[in-house]
Amino acid sequence: MISRANVTREALSELETLRAQNMREEKARREEAAGKSPVIAALLERRQSLLFSGMKRAFASPGKAQDISQSMREEMDRINAQLRAALAACGLPEDYLQPICRCPLCRDTGYVGEPIHEPCACLRRAVMSKLYQNEGLQILERENFASFDESIFPDEPIEGRKNTQRGYIRRIREICEGYADAFAPGAGDGLLLCGRSGLGKTFLMNCVAQRVLERGYSVVVISAFKLLDVMRRYQFGEAQEGQAEDILTCDLLCIDDLGSEPMMKNLTVSSLYHVINERRSENRAIVVTTNCTSDDLYEKYDDRVAARLTDPSRMKVLPFVGVDVRRFAARRGV
């Protein structure tokens, strides 16, 4: 898992590089325009002189700073109007000497707002994009609450129930979205999404992960098979310490398809117990998907593992029911 702080620093460093490139391009354009026309050269020199002289006068007479600033703006507007006309006369775009930036809101600084700086939307997008490239998170660009489509679920009563599968999954989606929106590190509450394959468990787990990540918290999404492999290799000194550390300390750990991992004597259960218990003791949340029922969990794992996964005081168990939506879609010819 790449930490958000490191990713943010990387994004800001790229913005700094971009600003330096833009400044070089702006300088090259000024030199080109000045070389084409002595009128443009004189106007650029006049504009620069106005800027420095105005700042000098404002510092020397703070009480007149507002009047000086207003006078400078009016004179600068006149110079810029003359520059636009001179540029057009030389066959150059009127905005050729405007500051170059990719984001007009923050001018590629990454922050907006005065006096309190906040991350600009462009910085947030850059950070999210980098986080998505981390192993296990790319799919979150596609599987999130915005792309959740309840119409793929049958709008027919579930056998033995009054609710339709579509209405049922809509309610589970509301619970999952509410959980993600209210998520706070250290609260320790988690979700157990259980049921047969093809009912939307993994998709909704990814929705939760994406929303929590979007809200600025650290998230690890990992299959139970990969989790066991990492912990096994870490135990024998074959995996990087950071991988196991991320699993144990991230704000939200999402384990997919628990029960599909190989059962290795003296390893599988102990590794799962270690991860679950360590996170539980530090009030760090877990979201788990599994095809197992609660009884299956008790039969398959140590009672201590199953009890922690189904503890109603810490885990909200959401059973998924109905027909496999992939088969339903195939019958409809979707």
Side-chain angles (χ1 to χ4, degrees), residues 137-151:
L137 298 181
Q138 300 94 328
I139 197 170
L140 304 188
E141 291 185 284
R142 303 189 305 275
E143 296 191 359
N144 48 66
F145 288 116
S147 63
F148 181 85
D149 181 10
E150 65 179 41
S151 69

Side-chain angles (χ1 to χ4, degrees), residues 34 45 56 77 117 165 173 176-177 216-217 228 254 259 295:
E45 185 176 347
K56 184 177 180 180
D77 287 343
H117 287 344
Q165 187 170 346
R173 176 251 170 89
C176 289
E177 189 164 16
Y217 304 117
L228 179 62
C254 296
D295 289 342

Side-chain angles (χ1 to χ4, degrees), residues 142 144-156 158 164-175 177 198-200 203-204 207 320-321 323-326 328-329 332 334:
R142 303 189 305 275
N144 48 66
F145 288 116
S147 63
F148 181 85
D149 181 10
E150 65 179 41
S151 69
I152 67 172
F153 295 88
D155 195 21
E156 302 164 1
I158 302 169
T164 68
Q165 187 170 346
R166 186 176 301 175
Y168 189 81
I169 198 67
R170 183 187 302 130
R171 176 55 184 154
I172 291 182
R173 176 251 170 89
E174 290 171 355
I175 293 172
E177 189 164 16
L199 300 179
F203 194 104
L204 277 171
C207 290
F320 284 59
V321 296
V323 301
D324 186 328
V325 293
R326 288 166 294 201
F328 174 69
R332 293 196 306 168
V334 176

Side-chain angles (χ1 to χ4, degrees), residues 296-308:
D296 292 336
L297 292 175
Y298 274 94
E299 183 177 339
K300 190 176 182 69
Y301 302 106
D302 187 296
D303 285 0
R304 296 174 301 168
V305 172
R308 282 161 172 76

Side-chain angles (χ1 to χ4, degrees), residues 29-31 33-35 37-54 72 75-76 79-80 82-83 86 97:
R29 289 187 179 190
R30 287 195 298 271
E31 292 174 350
S37 166
V39 173
I40 292 177
L43 287 170
L44 287 173
E45 185 176 347
R46 183 176 160 194
R47 187 169 70 174
Q48 189 72 4
S49 176
L50 173 66
L51 181 62
F52 283 117
S53 65
M72 282 181 59
E75 179 63 18
M76 193 69 75
I79 293 174
N80 286 335
Q82 294 171 9
L83 267 174
L97 299 180

Side-chain angles (χ1 to χ4, degrees), residues 187-192 276-277 280-281 283 286 288 294 297-298 303-318:
D189 298 330
L191 299 174
L192 177 64
I276 294 169
N277 192 58
R280 181 187 177 93
S281 65
N283 285 325
I286 302 178
V288 178
S294 294
L297 292 175
Y298 274 94
D303 285 0
R304 296 174 301 168
V305 172
R308 282 161 172 76
L309 288 175
T310 58
D311 180 0
S313 69
R314 302 288 291 272
M315 298 288 288
K316 189 172 186 64
V317 179
L318 297 176

